[in-house]
Amino acid sequence: MHTLFVPAHGPRRLPDGSWLFRLWTTRRKPAVLVIEAPCPQEIPMKACGGGWREARTAPMPAGALYRIRLGDELLADPASAHQPQGIDGPSMTDDPAAFIWTDSGFGAVAMPHAVIYEIHTGTFTPEGTLDAAAGRLPRIAELGVTAVELMPLTETTGRWNWGYDGVFPYSVHHRAGGPDALRRFVDTAHGLGLSVYGDVVLNHLGPEGNNLPKFGPYLSRRHHTPWGACPSFDGSSAQAVRRYFLDCCLRLMAHFHMDGLRLDATPYVQDDSAEHILAALTRETQVLAAASGRRLHIMAESTRNEIHLTTPRSAGGYGMAAQWSDDFHHAVHARLTGESCGYYAAFHTAQNAAKPAQTPPAAGQQCKEAQKRCPPAAAVSPVDALAEIFARGWFRQGQLCPWRKQPFGDQPRGLQPSQVIVYLQNHDVTGNRPSGERLHALTCPAARRMAAAALLLSPFVPLIFMGEEYDDPAPFHFFVDHSPELNRQVAQGRRREAAAFGWMPCATAPEPHSPAAFENSRLSWHLQDTRYHATVRDLYRRCIRLRQTLPSLDSPSFETLYVSRPHPQVICTGRTDPARIYSSWLLLNCGPQAATFSIDAATAPLARQQAWSQALCTADRRWHSPHTQEDEADLPHRFAAGTHIPVTLPPWCALLLA
C-alpha cells in the first residue's frame, strides 16, 4: 500500500473538494491567493503563527491556475507542483489522489540485485517527454535492467537543461509533461518490473528564476557552493526550510511512487545542525517505507568516499542504501584511454603504457597537451587501483590526490559491495568533456567490451548511462539555456574548468547554450538493432543475465570475494555464494598485450572446486565488430582447479569461469 503523504507547504485538496493553500514567509507583507482560472478570485491568506499563512477555497477541480501576491509583487508558489507556462507563469494545482495507479503488486528490487539505467528525459527520445520515454521502457527492461534513474525534472529556465539548475523544487518540468506524465512513467515502469529513482538537488538552486528569497531566508548566507548559495538548513528559520526540502523529497516517493532518490553532490549539502539534513531525510524515508510497506532507497553522489553515508544509523551513520563512487570509472578510464589529466592523474603512472587503440585526432591532441599541463601523478597504476577497488570497494582511503591537492577518502570499514554504485559513463564524466565523447569514441572495441564485463560482472551495483548499452554515436554535451549574459558567463566558466582540468578547447564543440549542444545529444534509437550496435547490446544483455542467474554472483559480500594477480596486467576476482557451494572467477586482461599465466595461480583461494567452464569471453568472435581485425579467443572450454597448464588471455579480454 502507498501512504498519502501531506506536505506542510503548498496546496492540498480536502475531502469536500475545497483546497487549502499553505505558505511560509517571514516577510511582513499581506499575502493574497490569486486564482486566475477557472474562476478568477482573490482570497487573503490568514496568518497562523510561525510565519505560516493559509487560504481556503470553495470546491474546484485540480488544474487551477494561481499565483500569490506578496505585497505588490505577483509570484508563483514556492511549492508549485507544476508551472505549465514555465518559471514566469502561474502555478497549477495537482491532486495526487486523483491518479489511478496499477502498480499495487510492485516491489522494488533490493540493492544487491540492482542494475541502474540513467536517463536524461529531454535527450532520451526525439520527443523529449516522459510519455515518449515510457514508450521506450520495454527495450530497457529487455536488457535485464532493474531500475531507471531520471536526471532532475524540476522546472528550469530556458528550452533545455541538464536539470541541476532547478528553481521550483516541487515541480515537474512542463516540457517533460508535468506531474501526471511522471506518474504515468512510474506506473509503466513498475508494470515492466522496473524501479524508478529520482535525482534530487539539495545543495543549491538554479541561478535564474529562483523566487524563494522573496518569501524568506530559504538560502544560507554562510554556506556556498560553486553553483550558488545553499539552502539554509541550519539558519534561524531552519525548521520551516528543512520541512520544505524534506517534504519535497518525500512526496516524490509518496505522490509519484518513486522507489528512491539519488542525492546530487552530497559533500556540498552543508548543514551544521545536530542532525544533518541528509540523516534526517534517510530517517524519514525509512519511516515512510515502514508505513507504506515498500522498499525505498536513498543513494548519495559523493566524490569523497565517505563511509558515514552508508553506515547504519544505529552505528552513528546516515543509513543510506548506497553511494556513487568515481574510483572505478577513474581507474578503468585511465587504463583504457591513457589519459592522465585532472582526476585521472591519481590513476596514472609511467607504467600505464596503454594508449587509446582508437582515438579521434581531437581527443588525442587534448590528451597530449593535457599531459604537459597536469600535476605529477601519484605512484599508482590504474590496474593496481582497480584490484584494490574490487577487494575493498574504493581506492582513495586518505591518500593525497594530485587533482584535489589534498588527501581524501575514508577507510571502507563495514562497507559492502551493494553499497557502492559504479559506472563506466554517466552524465558528469561524459558531459564534462569539452566534446562530450562517450567511451567507445576513445578506445578500441575489445577494451570497451572488457570494461563492460568488468562493470556488469563486478560485485558492485552497476549503472549504465543511456545509450551506452549499444554504443550510441551521439555525444552527451553539457547544455543550458539561460539569459544571454548568463549563457556567456557559463560558456566562459566551462572553458576555464576545461583548462584547469588540462583539456584543450575543441573548436568543433558547441557552446552550452547552442541548440546543437542539446540536439546532438539525442539518442539514435534506430541503430540499436543494426549489426555492430546489436552485438554490443547483446553483450550487455548476456552479462546482466549471468549476473542475475549465477548463484556465485548473487548477494555479493567482501567476505565471499577473493582477488588475485597472476600477471601484472591481469586482475582475477573470485566469488562464492554465501554457502560457499558455487564459485566463479572473472579474469580481466587490462592490457594491450596477451597475458599468459596458469589457472592455479589465479584461482588458488578457491582451488577446492574441481573445475570451471567458460560462461563468457569477450574475445569470442560473436562479439567482434565488423570490419575490424581482433585477436580471437583460443581457450579451453573447461578449466580444472590446480592445473599448471598455461592459459593465454587475448588483449583487453574478460573471461568469466563458473
Side-chain angles (χ1 to χ4, degrees), residues 51-300:
W52 290 98
R53 313 280 185 95
E54 289 185 355
R56 183 166 178 171
T57 72
M60 63 180 184
L65 298 178
Y66 72 99
R67 301 185 210 236
I68 295 171
R69 181 182 294 118
L70 191 63
D72 297 327
E73 196 167 8
L74 200 59
L75 302 168
D77 186 353
S80 171
H82 189 26
Q83 293 292 118
Q85 300 171 28
I87 62 171
D88 296 321
S91 303
M92 178 181 280
T93 58
D94 170 56
D95 181 10
F99 187 83
I100 301 175
W101 292 92
T102 64
D103 65 345
S104 59
F106 177 79
V109 170
M111 194 56 70
H113 311 295
V115 179
I116 305 173
Y117 189 94
E118 187 185 23
I119 291 174
H120 179 271
T121 304
T123 55
F124 186 58
T125 66
E127 300 86 352
T129 64
L130 285 160
D131 285 330
R136 303 286 186 174
L137 288 178
R139 291 288 283 172
I140 306 306
E142 288 173 9
L143 280 176
V145 165
T146 68
V148 293
E149 181 178 297
L150 297 172
M151 289 174 64
L153 288 167
T154 52
E155 198 67 44
T156 62
T157 55
R159 295 159 291 176
W160 45 75
N161 197 288
W162 268 18
Y164 297 93
D165 293 322
V167 290
F168 285 92
Y170 282 59
S171 66
V172 178
H173 203 288
H174 72 284
R175 291 184 181 275
D180 276 349
L182 179 55
R183 294 187 181 100
R184 289 191 294 271
F185 179 92
V186 175
D187 201 43
T188 300
H190 285 177
L192 294 166
L194 296 170
S195 302
V196 180
Y197 302 136
D199 199 341
V200 174
V201 183
L202 292 178
N203 51 70
H204 79 290
L205 282 92
E208 283 187 336
N210 175 21
N211 67 5
L212 285 177
K214 295 181 179 180
F215 290 92
Y218 282 85
L219 301 182
S220 175
R221 294 184 178 181
R222 296 192 301 120
H223 302 306
H224 292 273
T225 74
W227 317 286
C230 303
S232 184
F233 297 128
D234 54 10
S236 59
S237 301
Q239 182 176 359
V241 176
R242 289 169 72 88
R243 193 72 265 152
Y244 176 86
F245 285 98
L246 286 171
D247 287 356
C248 175
C249 295
L250 295 170
R251 65 188 287 276
L252 287 172
M253 295 177 278
H255 292 184
F256 297 93
H257 290 198
M258 284 189 170
D259 303 287
L261 305 174
R262 179 259 194 193
L263 308 180
D264 178 66
T266 54
Y268 293 96
V269 180
Q270 301 172 62
D271 181 10
D272 295 331
S273 303
E275 182 183 39
H276 195 282
I277 189 70
L278 299 181
L281 174 58
T282 305
R283 173 177 53 78
E284 295 198 20
T285 298
Q286 292 171 355
V287 172
L288 178 64
S292 60
R294 301 167 56 200
R295 180 182 285 122
L296 301 174
H297 296 132
I298 299 296
M299 299 159 283

Side-chain angles (χ1 to χ4, degrees), residues 383-393 417 458-460 557-567 570-576 584-588 590 600-606:
V383 182
D384 291 340
L386 188 58
E388 175 71 5
I389 292 165
F390 271 108
R392 303 198 66 191
S458 77
F460 313 113
S557 167
F558 286 121
E559 287 72 32
T560 57
L561 187 147
Y562 310 88
V563 177
S564 65
R565 297 291 305 281
H567 186 280
V570 173
I571 300 172
C572 297
T573 61
R575 293 161 65 180
T576 70
S584 62
W585 279 93
L586 177 63
L587 286 66
L588 302 172
C590 305
D600 68 322
T603 62
L606 298 177

Side-chain angles (χ1 to χ4, degrees), residues 267-467:
Y268 293 96
V269 180
Q270 301 172 62
D271 181 10
D272 295 331
S273 303
E275 182 183 39
H276 195 282
I277 189 70
L278 299 181
L281 174 58
T282 305
R283 173 177 53 78
E284 295 198 20
T285 298
Q286 292 171 355
V287 172
L288 178 64
S292 60
R294 301 167 56 200
R295 180 182 285 122
L296 301 174
H297 296 132
I298 299 296
M299 299 159 283
E301 183 211 11
S302 174
T303 58
R304 299 180 181 175
N305 296 350
E306 297 171 292
I307 193 62
H308 69 272
L309 295 173
T310 50
T311 298
R313 291 177 53 238
S314 59
Y318 290 180
M320 294 185 182
Q323 61 178 295
W324 285 34
S325 176
D326 287 335
D327 285 1
F328 184 94
H329 159 77
H330 290 168
V332 172
H333 187 98
R335 182 57 176 169
L336 266 59
T337 68
E339 291 187 1
S340 60
C341 51
Y343 36 67
Y344 300 124
F347 297 85
H348 180 88
T349 65
Q351 287 74 41
N352 185 23
K355 296 296 180 184
Q358 180 178 311
T359 306
Q365 180 65 24
Q366 291 171 17
C367 188
K368 184 182 297 183
E369 294 294 331
Q371 292 184 23
K372 299 177 183 178
R373 301 161 65 99
C374 65
V380 60
S381 80
V383 182
D384 291 340
L386 188 58
E388 175 71 5
I389 292 165
F390 271 108
R392 303 198 66 191
W394 56 54
F395 176 72
R396 286 292 159 193
Q397 302 167 25
Q399 306 96 318
L400 179 68
C401 175
W403 168 242
R404 297 178 182 272
K405 297 182 174 62
Q406 61 182 2
F408 82 92
D410 296 334
Q411 292 289 317
R413 296 187 182 93
L415 188 72
Q416 289 303 318
S418 62
Q419 295 175 319
V420 182
I421 299 172
V422 298
Y423 31 80
L424 301 176
Q425 304 172 71
N426 62 38
H427 69 275
D428 268 332
V429 298
T430 305
N432 284 343
R433 302 181 66 85
S435 299
E437 307 102 323
R438 293 172 178 263
L439 183 59
H440 69 269
L442 301 171
T443 190
C444 67
R448 174 72 178 79
R449 292 195 301 269
M450 184 276 295
L455 171 75
L456 298 170
L457 299 175
S458 77
F460 313 113
V461 177
L463 179 138
I464 302 167
F465 183 53
M466 62 177 199

